[in-house]
């Protein structure tokens, strides 16, 4: 099962570490306890939108950027999960949307998935390979 709180925590931790900042610095700036921020980063606590906003402000990060990165990681996790069942789900147009709003992609049969520690995932279909790289 893919946990959103875990993905959010991973992205927040990575952003903090990219800036070379400590948990103590960010927790103080966000006005949240160090222990609670640590639990959010480890995916043990579900952060409210208010708390996420405070953490994003402390990291000088737009919430839309945070959510975009989480969305990308979620898509990768879903692809990896789907690969375990040997098919990739269709990313077609949801009910109530027009075709112009979202491109229609055909499902492919996955023959193998390779995951490397540098977060580079290669998904090979019978006729082509698709590389997906987490930002």
């Amino acid at each position: 099962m893919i946990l959103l709180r875990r993905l959010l925590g991973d992205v927040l931790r990575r952003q903090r570490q990219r800036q070379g900042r400590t948990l103590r610095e960010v927790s103080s700036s966000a006005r949240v306890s160090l222990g609670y921020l640590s639990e959010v980063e480890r995916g043990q606590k579900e952060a409210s939108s208010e708390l996420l906003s405070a953490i994003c402000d402390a990291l000088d990060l737009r919430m839309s950027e945070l959510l975009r990165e989480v969305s990308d990681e979620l898509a990768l996790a879903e692809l990896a999960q789907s690969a375990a069942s040997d098919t990739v789900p269709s990313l077609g147009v949801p009910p109530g949307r027009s075709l112009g709003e979202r491109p229609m992609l055909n499902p492919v049969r996955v023959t193998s998935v390779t995951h490397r520690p540098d977060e580079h995932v290669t998904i090979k279909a019978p006729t082509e390979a698709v590389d997906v790289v987490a930002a």
Side-chain angles (χ1 to χ4, degrees), residues 3-116:
L3 295 177
L4 185 59
R5 69 174 186 256
R6 184 74 182 256
L7 294 174
L8 270 166
D10 289 345
V11 172
L12 287 170
R13 180 185 309 106
R14 212 172 24 252
Q15 288 289 336
R16 177 181 58 77
Q17 290 173 339
R18 283 181 190 149
Q19 295 177 15
R21 298 182 60 199
T22 65
L23 273 169
R24 186 173 309 283
E25 291 170 339
V26 175
S27 69
S28 176
S29 182
R31 298 179 190 209
V32 61
S33 77
L34 184 136
Y36 197 81
L37 179 58
S38 176
E39 288 180 306
V40 168
E41 282 192 359
R42 288 179 284 143
Q44 295 177 336
K45 292 288 184 185
E46 198 81 48
S48 68
S49 58
E50 291 87 358
L51 180 64
L52 285 176
S53 179
I55 296 168
C56 285
D57 287 346
L59 291 170
D60 195 29
L61 173 70
R62 290 183 180 167
M63 193 176 305
S64 61
E65 293 171 10
L66 169 70
L67 296 176
R68 186 176 305 115
E69 192 170 337
V70 169
S71 176
D72 291 345
E73 295 215 0
L74 180 59
L76 288 173
E78 288 172 336
L79 284 172
Q81 196 173 52
S82 294
S85 67
D86 205 29
T87 61
V88 176
S90 172
L91 300 176
V93 178
R97 286 197 144 164
S98 70
L99 189 58
E101 291 181 77
R102 187 168 177 179
M104 177 73 82
L105 299 176
N106 295 324
V108 297
R109 187 143 184 91
V110 176
T111 57
S112 68
V113 174
T114 306
H115 179 64
R116 299 180 191 137

